Amino acid sequence: MGTPPLLLAWVLGGAPLSWLAQAPAGVNGLSVQPSPGSDVTGLVNTLIVLLLVATVVALITRRLRIPYVVGLVLAGLTITKSLLPGSVGLNPEIILNLFLPILIFEAAINTDISRLRSTIKPIALIAGPGVLLASIITAALLQWGLGLATITAAAIGVILTITDTVSVIAAFRTVPVPPRLATIVEGESLFNDGTALVLLGILTTIHLQGSFTAWEGVQQVVIAFVGGGLLGLGLGYLCVGLFQQLDDALSNLLLTVAVSLGTFQIGQALGVSSAIAVVVAGLVIGELGFRQTSASTKVTLLNFWEYAGFGVNTFIFLLVGIEVDPDVLLQTIPAALFAVVAYQTGRILTTYPLLYLLRFVDRPLPLRWQHVLILGNVKGSLSMALALSLPPGLPGRQQVVALVFSTVLVSLVGQGLSLPFLVKRLRLSAPSRHRQRMETLQLNLIAAKAAQQELANLLQSGSLPKNLYEELFAAYQAQIAAADRDLRAFYNQRTFSDRDHLEDQSQLDGLRRRLYLAEKGAVNDALRKGLLSEDTSQAYVRSLNEKLLSLRDE
């Protein structure tokens, strides 16, 4: 993963949960205590054991075709701390300040800005008012069904509106889905974390101060989101500028790590949304910063961050299973099942109506896509970290932590295992042989042209002699010519079925969407620079928006 082994060993040794330390088993029988520290050797040995367990889980889950994170949680449930060489535990401070920025930044730099722009309206609806309304409905149901205090039910309601995109994306890798739907799922997960953190901050303030006006809440939300966005833009563009001065992959790698973690810390110090700041910084760096680097450097950066995100998720979900006492889990399952029903009810009562209203301002989402957004409402590690970070004086805090932990486990296992099957039953996308053949030819073109670009960078930097450059460039040029010829012949010779025609139309609409967005970005950029007047550009932008709305969903 993205942290050195000794640092990770220290992380794993901090503030574990003791599920049966001071209270009888049951919903109220949870106790959170720091455990005695253990020596570095024991922690390193524990790290080795966990890595081996994770490797075995990866092999088993791949053979059984079940989600990797579900396998990690189930494996963790079978491991007792007495079997490990050193003490381990989930430290909420480490999860929020180290693991969360890594996960958010890794997702942001891999997000396609052009697709995010085309889906920003449904994402904003679900991750903004959708989170708020779902939290209220979930809290009301929990207060009614479990008899919780109002502030406690509200806190749980917010915590259980956070979605875990890891399980959903894992399901998408086994079942073909439209790219736009995948972008909506990833984008919602990026931004609803920030919304939930802001709402939980407001609830904490209400609990500590005893009163809170609606105007103060609006001010806090505006400051958090606007301030977080501006902070992310500033640090993201600063990183892009530094990318132009650096010429090696390792320096760029260190810079991205510093920006991702530093942005989160600065956001907390300024009182703005750290999650939104990291999202925006990651989007800017992924879209603009990577353009300043060579192909090999970009591959190195993306591989590192993929490794970091995978490693963080591996240890979080494995530790989730280790931390939970199976006896307590069994006793809290009824309350957890009710909590699952409560947050799914909140999701249903907000997602369908909000996405129905979407048709008045943007392209409507197909109903089957909306079903996926409901089915993919899986909970994960951030919900557990937020539960642990609640103030000690919150009424029923132990009950909150026990309920959230059990609910996350039920959600991960129940929804996580059924999600791939349910998504497959919806038959969202089924590429034909024609599409697969066409993508193979396009793959050859893309790969060869990328290699030619890297050859040009090597020649320009003096790392490659000109005669060798010309020889390799010619070889790739022959590959490009062959792929281009085959692709042209493929289009000219084949006969179109109705399904093939629809797929070609969808692909053409996807190409048009990228071109229209590029035009719109160029016009807006010229408008900001004063090259065009508002009157001249407004009609053109309006026509581009109408063209975008008329395109088919991918």
Side-chain angles (χ1 to χ4, degrees):
M1 56 185 290
T3 51
L6 289 179
L7 174 59
L8 182 59
W10 173 77
V11 168
L12 296 180
L17 294 178
S18 175
W19 277 73
L20 296 171
Q22 290 185 340
V27 176
N28 294 312
L30 180 68
S31 176
V32 181
Q33 290 182 336
S35 66
S38 54
D39 61 309
V40 174
T41 302
L43 290 176
V44 172
N45 291 336
T46 298
L47 173 62
I48 295 171
V49 172
L50 295 181
L51 287 172
L52 293 175
V53 170
T55 303
V56 173
V57 169
L59 293 173
I60 294 175
T61 54
R62 176 171 296 184
R63 182 173 294 274
L64 297 180
R65 295 185 178 183
I66 64 175
Y68 176 60
V69 295
V70 175
L72 289 173
V73 172
L74 295 177
L77 286 172
T78 64
I79 299 174
T80 61
K81 292 186 179 181
S82 60
L83 299 177
L84 298 175
S87 177
V88 296
L90 284 176
N91 188 321
E93 292 296 323
I94 296 298
I95 293 177
L96 288 175
N97 292 284
L98 178 62
F99 288 174
L100 178 60
I102 289 175
L103 295 175
I104 293 177
F105 190 82
E106 187 269 336
I109 61 174
N110 285 287
T111 300
D112 188 339
I113 289 288
S114 63
R115 289 194 180 277
L116 188 63
R117 287 172 181 163
S118 67
T119 57
I120 194 62
K121 291 179 181 177
I123 289 173
L125 279 176
I126 302 172
V131 170
L132 176 61
L133 294 174
S135 300
I136 294 173
I137 295 172
T138 304
L141 290 174
L142 290 174
Q143 185 179 15
W144 168 77
L146 300 179
L148 301 175
T150 302
I151 189 69
T152 305
I156 299 178
V158 171
I159 289 172
L160 293 182
T161 56
I162 299 174
T163 58
D164 175 59
T165 187
V166 176
S167 301
V168 184
I169 298 303
F172 285 177
R173 289 172 180 167
T174 61
V175 182
V177 298
R180 187 167 182 250
L181 174 59
T183 303
I184 292 174
V185 171
E186 293 174 354
E188 184 212 351
S189 178
L190 280 175
F191 290 100
N192 78 355
D193 292 350
T195 305
L197 287 170
V198 171
L199 293 177
L200 200 61
I202 292 175
L203 291 176
T204 302
T205 303
I206 294 174
H207 169 66
L208 296 177
Q209 294 183 355
S211 62
F212 201 74
T213 65
W215 176 243
E216 289 176 331
V218 172
Q219 282 183 314
Q220 189 165 333
V221 170
V222 171
I223 292 174
F225 280 93
V226 175
L230 292 176
L231 175 63
L233 281 174
L235 293 179
Y237 276 104
L238 176 62
C239 184
V240 171
L242 292 175
F243 263 50
Q244 299 174 355
Q245 308 300 321
L246 301 172
D247 58 357
D248 66 283
L250 294 180
S251 298
N252 287 330
L253 191 152
L254 292 175
L255 177 61
T256 56
V257 173
V259 169
S260 63
L261 301 180
T263 300
F264 195 87
Q265 295 302 315
I266 294 173
Q268 286 190 318
L270 297 178
V272 300
S273 175
S274 299
I276 296 298
V278 175
V279 167
V280 174
L283 292 173
V284 170
I285 294 171
E287 180 69 12
L288 302 177
F290 285 177
R291 294 182 183 178
Q292 313 294 333
T293 64
S294 64
S296 59
T297 299
K298 181 178 179 180
V299 169
T300 300
L301 290 171
L302 292 176
N303 284 341
F304 167 80
W305 280 105
E306 181 182 9
Y307 175 51
F310 178 79
V312 166
N313 275 307
T314 294
F315 280 96
I316 287 178
F317 286 106
L318 189 57
L319 288 174
V320 165
I322 294 175
E323 286 293 345
V324 177
D325 188 293
D327 294 333
V328 177
L329 175 63
L330 290 175
Q331 295 176 22
T332 56
I333 279 181
L337 290 174
F338 182 82
V340 171
V341 173
Y343 73 66
Q344 283 292 67
T345 302
R347 180 79 163 183
I348 291 171
L349 295 180
T350 55
T351 299
Y352 288 128
L354 287 174
L355 293 181
Y356 175 80
L357 297 176
L358 179 69
R359 67 181 64 240
F360 298 106
V361 294
D362 197 3
R363 287 174 294 154
L365 295 186
L367 189 60
R368 286 183 298 176
W369 292 21
Q370 299 180 38
H371 297 338
V372 173
L373 295 175
I374 301 297
L375 297 172
N377 188 25
V378 183
K379 306 307 158 190
S381 56
L382 182 57
S383 295
M384 302 172 68
L386 292 182
L388 291 173
S389 66
L390 291 173
L394 185 74
R397 182 183 182 277
Q398 292 183 346
Q399 183 179 4
V400 172
V401 178
L403 179 60
V404 171
F405 268 59
S406 298
T407 303
V408 168
L409 285 172
V410 170
S411 175
L412 281 173
V413 176
Q415 293 178 264
L417 287 176
S418 61
L419 186 59
F421 171 76
L422 294 174
V423 172
K424 185 179 295 185
R425 293 284 296 176
L426 289 174
R427 296 180 182 178
L428 301 172
S429 177
S432 65
R433 292 181 180 178
H434 149 67
R435 179 68 176 268
Q436 294 173 347
R437 171 61 177 161
M438 182 180 61
E439 288 183 352
T440 300
L441 295 174
Q442 289 176 328
L443 174 65
N444 293 333
L445 280 174
I446 293 171
K449 289 186 177 181
Q452 282 188 332
Q453 183 180 359
E454 182 64 15
L455 282 173
N457 292 331
L458 293 173
L459 177 66
Q460 185 178 5
S461 64
S463 303
L464 193 68
K466 188 170 180 61
N467 61 338
L468 183 56
Y469 162 79
E470 292 174 347
E471 179 183 346
L472 294 174
F473 189 91
Y476 280 113
Q477 188 61 37
Q479 179 180 336
I480 291 173
D484 186 60
R485 182 180 61 252
D486 292 343
L487 191 61
R488 187 166 55 249
F490 181 72
Y491 271 107
N492 291 336
Q493 295 175 5
R494 70 184 184 84
T495 57
F496 286 83
S497 65
D498 291 340
R499 179 176 172 184
D500 288 340
H501 177 73
L502 290 174
E503 288 191 357
D504 287 338
Q505 185 63 42
S506 177
Q507 185 184 21
L508 187 59
D509 284 346
L511 176 61
R512 288 196 181 109
R513 180 175 293 107
R514 295 183 70 91
L515 296 176
Y516 291 154
L517 289 171
E519 288 186 52
K520 187 176 178 181
V523 171
N524 289 332
D525 187 56
L527 182 62
R528 286 193 298 269
K529 294 178 179 178
L531 301 177
L532 296 175
S533 66
E534 183 75 27
D535 295 336
T536 304
S537 60
Q538 188 174 15
Y540 192 81
V541 171
R542 188 183 304 114
S543 68
L544 287 176
N545 289 333
E546 293 174 355
K547 292 177 181 178
L548 285 169
L549 290 174
S550 67
L551 297 177
R552 292 168 53 91
D553 284 315
E554 297 174 83

